[in-house]
Amino acid sequence: MTPRTTGTVPRRRTLRLPSRLPFRLPSRLPVDGYVLALLGTVALAALLPASGAAADIAEGASTGAVALLFFLYGARLSTHEALDGLKHWPLHLTVLGSTFLLFPLLGLAAQGLAPTVLTPQLAGGLLFLCLVPSTIQSSIAFTSLARGNVPAAICAGSFSSLAGIVLTPLLAALLLGGAAGDLSADGLLRIVLQLLAPFLLGQLLRRWVGGFLVRHKKVLGHVDRGSILLVVYTAFSQGMVAGIWHLVTPARLGLLLAVEAVLLAAMLTLTWYGARRLGFDRADRIAIQFAGSKKSLAAGLPMASVLFGPQAALTVLPLMLFHQMQLMVCAVIARRRAHDTETEDRESTPVGRITPLTGPR
């Protein structure tokens, strides 16, 4: 006996997935793509280092790239905006003190870790990291994400970069001694010709080239990054030819990362709670924390190539690692600061009251 059909198709049982996963997939990789490019450049220098005539060509190109970088830095920095930003001088002095006073003091204290924890070369690189100026782009980005004082972050980063052109070489010569080439006549001439003169030329020509730089900002950004990659390749090729990489072991790298994590945590804590003790409001404290706790890879790498020559490879290694660490940690902190600000705004608004709009009538 055949079963009677009713004309309807029986439903198939489907597997229902939960509407919300117990975890959230990251929207992007936590590793900066440019850091991956830097690591790839280091690998290229390890496999195919420039030597002989190729090394001379690479060194000449690297020298030109450094001069180009600092010319672009000078041409982009608005002198008028920087002078206007001086009105908030207590904040800028706090950031400069964090960058060129607190950081170097911690870097000097870390020199006691050599040679037991860090090799003398890595300890010197850690100290150089502490002498480099602050960032501009990432300080602005994180301050904006955390709902802080963005104009203050712009001015603070600009002042730090400007001061670093003079202070970083001077502090490196004073604290690192012979490793930075001392302040001989040749060393001073090299710093003036490769760093200061192109920067001043960019400032002088900004009136005529500023519009061009704005219109081609994206292309010139690739020029910036490509120039830094060339500097990294030249420095690490010189290190490979000199045979200095046998001094770095995986254990030493692990210890270096641990020391840098402590350094970053100390600076994030000091800038946040120190700014609170000094009486800054929340928006200013956010700008101070992000501008005062980070170091510029874009400025540090070219400076190291000028100051240290063949020894620049090991010197910039701590800076490269610290750069990636600071991006990952500050991204988390910026999101938390933004969430805390939203919570405070909700709690400060009485229930049932509509917050009036402010603006021109």
Side-chain angles (χ1 to χ4, degrees):
M1 183 174 179
T2 59
R4 186 174 59 183
T5 60
T6 60
T8 59
V9 179
R11 293 182 179 180
R12 293 182 180 179
R13 290 187 176 182
T14 59
L15 179 63
R16 291 186 177 182
L17 295 175
S19 59
R20 298 185 67 180
L21 295 174
F23 59 91
R24 180 176 295 179
L25 295 174
S27 58
R28 55 182 296 182
L29 290 174
V31 179
D32 185 13
Y34 189 53
V35 173
L36 294 179
L38 287 170
L39 295 177
T41 303
V42 172
L44 177 63
L47 296 175
L48 298 171
S51 60
D56 295 335
I57 295 174
E59 186 174 359
S62 177
T63 301
V66 170
L68 175 62
L69 279 173
F70 278 85
F71 171 80
L72 293 176
Y73 292 158
R76 288 169 181 158
L77 180 61
S78 173
T79 308
H80 177 71
E81 292 178 359
L83 293 176
D84 286 343
L86 284 174
K87 298 175 183 178
H88 205 352
W89 60 267
L91 184 147
H92 303 313
L93 287 180
T94 303
V95 173
L96 289 175
S98 299
T99 304
F100 296 110
L101 182 61
L102 286 179
F103 252 118
L105 289 176
L106 292 177
L108 285 173
Q111 298 306 293
L113 300 175
T116 55
V117 177
L118 301 176
T119 65
Q121 292 81 3
L122 291 179
L126 184 69
L127 180 54
F128 175 73
L129 148 71
C130 295
L131 309 180
V132 171
S134 178
T135 62
I136 299 178
Q137 290 88 352
S138 59
S139 295
I140 297 170
F142 289 132
T143 300
S144 176
L145 178 61
R147 300 188 176 184
N149 190 339
V150 176
I154 295 173
C155 292
S158 300
F159 291 147
S160 179
S161 298
L162 182 60
I165 295 177
V166 178
L167 291 180
T168 298
L170 290 176
L171 290 173
L174 177 65
L175 301 179
L176 290 170
D182 291 324
L183 279 182
S184 61
D186 291 341
L188 280 173
L189 181 62
R190 187 169 63 250
I191 292 171
V192 168
L193 291 179
Q194 293 190 40
L195 303 182
L196 188 58
F199 180 86
L200 294 177
L201 181 62
Q203 280 280 284
L204 292 174
L205 298 181
R206 185 180 186 278
R207 183 176 182 180
W208 295 276
V209 302
F212 176 83
L213 296 179
V214 172
R215 290 192 302 270
H216 300 85
K217 182 178 180 180
K218 187 174 181 179
V219 175
L220 291 174
H222 294 303
V223 173
D224 280 1
R225 296 191 166 200
S227 299
I228 293 174
L229 291 178
L230 177 59
V231 172
V232 170
Y233 175 76
T234 303
F236 278 81
S237 291
Q238 291 174 341
M240 286 297 300
V241 173
I244 64 175
W245 286 108
H246 67 279
L247 301 175
V248 182
T249 63
R252 293 286 190 181
L253 285 178
L255 292 172
L256 174 62
L257 286 172
V259 172
E260 290 190 336
V262 173
L263 174 64
L264 179 59
M267 287 304 303
L268 288 170
T269 302
L270 289 172
T271 50
W272 181 253
Y273 291 102
R276 175 182 292 179
R277 289 294 299 270
L278 292 174
F280 290 99
D281 61 25
R282 181 180 180 82
D284 287 347
R285 293 202 307 269
I286 290 173
I288 290 171
Q289 184 179 49
F290 289 123
S293 64
K294 292 201 300 303
K295 292 296 183 176
S296 174
L297 184 70
L301 289 177
M303 287 183 179
S305 69
V306 175
L307 294 171
F308 300 98
Q311 301 298 322
L314 279 182
T315 303
V316 300
L317 182 60
L319 178 59
M320 292 174 62
L321 297 176
F322 189 83
H323 174 79
Q324 178 60 34
M325 185 183 297
Q326 72 185 6
L327 290 180
M328 298 174 67
V329 173
C330 288
V332 175
I333 293 176
R335 293 189 183 97
R336 178 168 296 182
R337 296 274 182 257
H339 179 267
D340 293 342
T341 302
E342 291 176 355
T343 303
E344 290 180 1
D345 291 342
R346 287 195 300 267
E347 292 177 351
S348 62
T349 304
V351 178
R353 177 180 295 181
I354 300 176
T355 304
L357 296 176
T358 59
R361 295 181 180 180

